[in-house]
Amino acid sequence: MISTAATTATTTSYTTLDSPLGELLLVGEESPTAPGGTALTSLTMPQQRGAATVQPHWRRDARPFAEVLRQLRAYFAGELTRFTLEYRTAGSEFQERVWQSLETIPYGTTTTYGRLAEALGVPRGDVRALGAAIGANPLPILRPCHRVIGADGTMRGYTAGVERKTALLTHEGALQPTLI
């Protein structure tokens, strides 16, 4: 995945995608290096904390998102396990480092907040800051924050709801489906 720091773009576009998690809102900015000419800046789900909302100056246009849409559909169909897209996010240096580290967690696996903190060299006392950075991830699913769980195996908070975190981990085979 290519990640670039946020810069002022001339055009912000958006589109939506119906998914098993509800309607996803995709937002991107012009980029000469991104497939379709748009680098993804945000992916949000219904009722997600801090979700992006469509702004009057944004342009609705699915065309620049063709590759993003293709990869998301393939992911939900079980045909794709790693995204290769260009992102443009605007987090602090610490947030960007945390978000990029999420991409190293393999599909179908999980890690704990403590293990991720250790891998990043974050002191134990700052694990809360790590959790806050994970919670501020503007690209859930793509930067798989759902793969970070509690040390006891519990599904800690997820910005789009624990039920979606559980659904994503079940989809990836990291959890067994619940039988009723």
Side-chain angles (χ1 to χ4, degrees):
M1 287 177 234
I2 300 169
S3 176
T4 58
T7 59
T8 304
T10 56
T11 303
T12 299
S13 300
Y14 76 95
T15 194
T16 58
L17 172 67
D18 288 328
S19 81
L21 303 174
E23 185 178 71
L24 305 180
L25 172 64
L26 307 170
V27 181
E29 295 178 347
E30 285 181 323
S31 169
T33 58
T38 297
L40 203 60
T41 59
S42 176
L43 179 153
T44 56
M45 297 174 240
Q47 292 87 43
Q48 179 178 324
R49 282 189 321 266
T53 55
V54 175
Q55 301 299 306
H57 64 280
W58 291 1
R59 178 185 65 178
R60 184 177 188 115
D61 187 357
R63 289 173 298 171
F65 297 95
E67 182 59 16
V68 177
L69 295 169
R70 184 194 71 74
Q71 288 190 35
L72 281 166
R73 286 182 181 118
Y75 169 81
F76 286 118
E79 301 164 354
L80 182 82
T81 61
R82 185 157 177 82
F83 295 98
T84 55
L85 300 166
E86 183 175 320
Y87 307 137
R88 184 173 293 159
T89 51
S92 69
E93 183 180 319
F94 178 73
Q95 287 174 320
E96 292 290 341
R97 195 164 59 102
V98 170
W99 298 338
Q100 288 173 8
S101 74
L102 296 172
E103 296 173 25
T104 67
I105 307 167
Y107 179 94
T109 67
T110 60
T111 192
T112 65
Y113 292 92
R115 278 190 238 143
L116 189 59
E118 185 178 314
L120 288 168
V122 174
R124 285 297 262 177
D126 292 339
V127 172
R128 259 186 210 266
L130 176 83
I134 292 170
N137 175 15
L139 297 166
I141 304 171
L142 304 174
R143 285 190 163 158
C145 50
H146 59 277
R147 296 179 189 156
V148 184
I149 63 173
D152 60 359
T154 58
M155 300 298 112
R156 302 283 187 213
Y158 186 60
T159 189
V162 172
E163 66 284 345
R164 286 193 179 103
K165 182 175 194 165
T166 301
L168 287 165
L169 292 173
T170 301
H171 168 72
E172 293 182 3
L175 291 178
Q176 294 299 310
T178 303
L179 300 175
I180 301 175

